Amino acid sequence: FAVVERLANEPIDMMEINISCPNVNAGFLAFGQDPKQVEKLTAEIKKRAKQPVIMKLTPNVTDITEIAKAAEAGGADAVSLINTLTGMKIDINRRTFAIANKTGGVSGPAIHPIAVRMVYQVANAVQIPIIGMGGIASAEDAIEMILAGASAVAVGTANFHNPAITMEIVDGIEKYMQQYGFNSVSEMVGLVK
């Protein structure tokens, strides 16, 4: 809340609130895994924020649509999804965890089909815009997200392998739009039912 209040008068267009991080007070349950907490937290943030608020959803839930609906009910202006999946790596030579916290976030191309499915489900459950993310590494990946219901996309892990990937994706989306006669990305959003 203190950070949201501090940034309220800063020249930023939006705030993305990551509710996927573990909450120590709730036995390390991520804030974003409990719909009641998501709605309450979103409402409290909206009271303090002067900019639009995007709630970043965790995929580590049974039903992501319930979490998205809770964010919408709390007043979120948009949702972004998915954050990383929880994974684990064991160092077989040291016979211990490879990550200090035992678990960590899994990202990249392997999570893309899961992200597309969750974007599709959320697009059919809420009325607010969706920013799709998770394993986007090509224009085709981004277009899938848009056709599933994302109004915008975000590229993360792929930037580590190719710093120019975002521009390549933008160019690829433009080429796709010309090929199929779309005048704007909004015409593509949620076309796959």
Side-chain angles (χ1 to χ4, degrees), residues 6-131:
R6 183 170 48 84
L7 295 175
N9 294 314
E10 295 297 321
I12 57 174
D13 295 323
M14 300 177 206
M15 283 193 232
E16 183 181 57
I17 310 298
N18 182 355
I19 56 172
S20 303
C21 294
N23 176 357
V24 177
N25 295 329
F28 290 96
L29 176 73
F31 288 115
Q33 291 178 316
D34 179 344
K36 289 180 184 146
Q37 288 293 329
V38 168
E39 183 174 351
K40 182 178 171 185
L41 181 63
T42 304
E44 288 300 318
I45 287 169
K46 283 293 292 179
K47 286 180 190 174
R48 293 164 169 81
K50 292 184 181 172
Q51 302 88 346
V53 171
I54 305 161
M55 300 303 280
K56 186 171 186 176
L57 307 184
T58 177
N60 301 303
V61 293
T62 303
D63 183 356
I64 198 161
T65 64
E66 292 303 313
I67 305 303
K69 289 178 194 174
E72 182 177 47
D77 298 288
V79 290
S80 60
L81 59 135
I82 61 175
N83 204 340
T84 57
L85 291 159
T86 303
M88 181 181 284
K89 176 77 175 137
I90 293 176
D91 182 323
I92 63 168
N93 296 311
R94 294 186 309 127
R95 291 171 299 286
T96 188
F97 301 101
I99 301 170
N101 289 336
K102 298 181 183 175
T103 63
V106 178
S107 63
I111 73 166
H112 184 68
I114 298 162
V116 171
R117 185 236 330 149
M118 290 187 167
V119 165
Y120 174 81
Q121 289 174 310
V122 169
N124 287 287
V126 300
Q127 301 301 310
I128 56 177
I130 297 166
I131 301 168

Side-chain angles (χ1 to χ4, degrees), residues 156-173:
T157 303
N159 286 296
F160 295 124
H161 305 285
N162 178 2
I165 192 65
T166 300
M167 290 313 301
E168 292 172 16
I169 290 170
V170 169
D171 292 343
I173 292 171

